[in-house]
Amino acid sequence: MAEEAAIIVPESTLKKRKRGEEWAAAKKQVIEETLKKNAANRKLIFNRAKIYAKEYQEQEKELIRLKREAKFKGGFYVEPEAKLLFIVRIRGINRMHPTVRKILQLLRLRQVFNGVFLKTNKATLNMLHKVEPYVTYGYPNLKSVKELIYKRGYGKVDKQRIPLTDNSIIEKVLGKYGIICMEDLVHEILTVGPHFKEANNFLWPFKLKAPLGGLEKKRNHYVEGGDAGNREVYINELIRRMN
């Protein structure tokens, strides 16, 4: 009777059961490690955000102090040349010279109302001088950079356009450069840090909407009452209307 009661379990079933238990244990371990890593990352990201906020605040206070000091001495303070540019394409391809088209492709401005960040240097300014009738550009501030990346930021992951909904997307691509979250990315772009090139290439060109209230006259330069060319700090007002 005892022999009849004993149920013989096939070897394949035992192997399958064992394999399932091993997979479950491995999956549990991965989940635990991920939770630990996420907790440590959250703490690190919070601390970094605090440091960046303090840095921005100190820079603003220093600028106010220098302006007051210059005013007290009867002069005026001239700010150093901006290191960061934001360029927006405002015209299409009608009657465009092939050289201009090629430069716009190099700048990744393939569509009207596309925008990109650029580092200010001689090569960049020479290129912008050639395409000036087709673009408008200026010096973005902290608020503009943050709003663009948080609201319209998309990353290039395996040649695909992926929305920046999670810090893990940034860490996956830029983690090797010490950029693991949105605040790191904003700081690297704004300060034109040592890994600006990698961070900027990771960002997909911003697809902005048509400006609220429209453009004045895109065929004319900004200093002539139009829209094209360098508008310096007034690019921030345009970004507000297009974001």
Side-chain angles (χ1 to χ4, degrees), residues 209-223:
K209 67 179 183 182
L212 195 67
L215 295 169
E216 293 295 329
K217 195 173 184 183
K218 59 186 180 182
R219 291 184 180 277
N220 287 11
H221 197 283
Y222 185 70
V223 295

Side-chain angles (χ1 to χ4, degrees), residues 33-43 45 168 171:
E33 285 173 4
T34 305
L35 287 171
K36 280 182 186 176
K37 188 185 174 186
N38 287 349
N41 270 3
R42 274 199 301 274
K43 198 172 180 181
I45 288 163
S168 60
E171 189 179 4

Side-chain angles (χ1 to χ4, degrees), residues 12-192:
S12 60
T13 306
L14 289 170
K15 282 182 179 178
K16 189 177 178 183
R17 193 180 295 166
K18 188 182 176 184
R19 192 166 62 242
E21 286 170 0
E22 286 173 358
W23 284 353
K27 191 178 178 183
K28 189 181 178 184
Q29 190 180 350
V30 168
I31 289 168
E32 283 174 0
E33 285 173 4
T34 305
L35 287 171
K36 280 182 186 176
K37 188 185 174 186
N38 287 349
N41 270 3
R42 274 199 301 274
K43 198 172 180 181
L44 178 64
I45 288 163
F46 179 74
N47 289 335
R48 282 190 184 183
K50 275 174 73 177
I51 292 165
Y52 294 150
K54 191 179 178 184
E55 184 187 323
Y56 301 143
Q57 204 171 13
E58 283 174 358
Q59 284 175 357
E60 202 173 328
K61 283 180 181 177
E62 180 65 12
L63 182 64
I64 291 166
R65 187 189 67 77
L66 290 168
K67 282 182 177 178
R68 283 176 179 167
E69 193 178 312
K71 190 178 179 183
F72 180 73
K73 290 177 180 177
F76 57 89
Y77 176 70
V78 179
E79 290 184 41
E81 191 180 355
K83 294 185 286 183
L84 181 68
L85 289 169
F86 186 71
I87 298 96
V88 181
R89 181 170 172 175
I90 56 171
R91 283 178 66 183
I93 59 168
N94 287 354
R95 300 171 70 183
M96 185 186 287
H97 193 276
T99 307
V100 175
R101 188 185 294 122
K102 185 65 181 174
I103 291 170
L104 287 173
Q105 284 176 5
L106 289 172
L107 294 173
R108 303 190 297 162
L109 298 172
R110 293 173 177 270
Q111 294 175 314
V112 178
F113 300 141
N114 270 15
V116 292
F117 291 113
L118 274 184
K119 189 195 289 190
T120 309
N121 55 36
K122 191 179 178 183
T124 300
L125 294 174
N126 284 343
M127 284 200 294
L128 286 175
H129 182 67
K130 289 188 175 182
V131 298
E132 207 162 57
Y134 297 87
V135 299
T136 185
Y137 58 96
Y139 316 132
N141 56 22
L142 171 63
K143 186 174 173 11
S144 297
V145 174
K146 261 192 176 180
E147 283 182 357
L148 283 166
I149 293 174
Y150 271 95
K151 186 175 178 183
R152 294 191 182 267
Y154 282 77
K156 193 190 291 177
V157 183
D158 299 327
K159 298 183 180 180
Q160 290 187 315
R161 184 173 181 258
I162 306 295
L164 300 179
T165 53
D166 193 357
N167 287 327
S168 60
I169 298 165
I170 298 169
E171 189 179 4
K172 181 184 172 185
V173 181
L174 300 173
K176 56 191 171 187
Y177 305 114
I179 301 168
I180 60 167
C181 63
M182 291 288 265
E183 285 301 321
D184 284 344
L185 188 58
V186 169
H187 183 263
E188 193 69 21
I189 294 291
L190 184 70
T191 58
V192 189

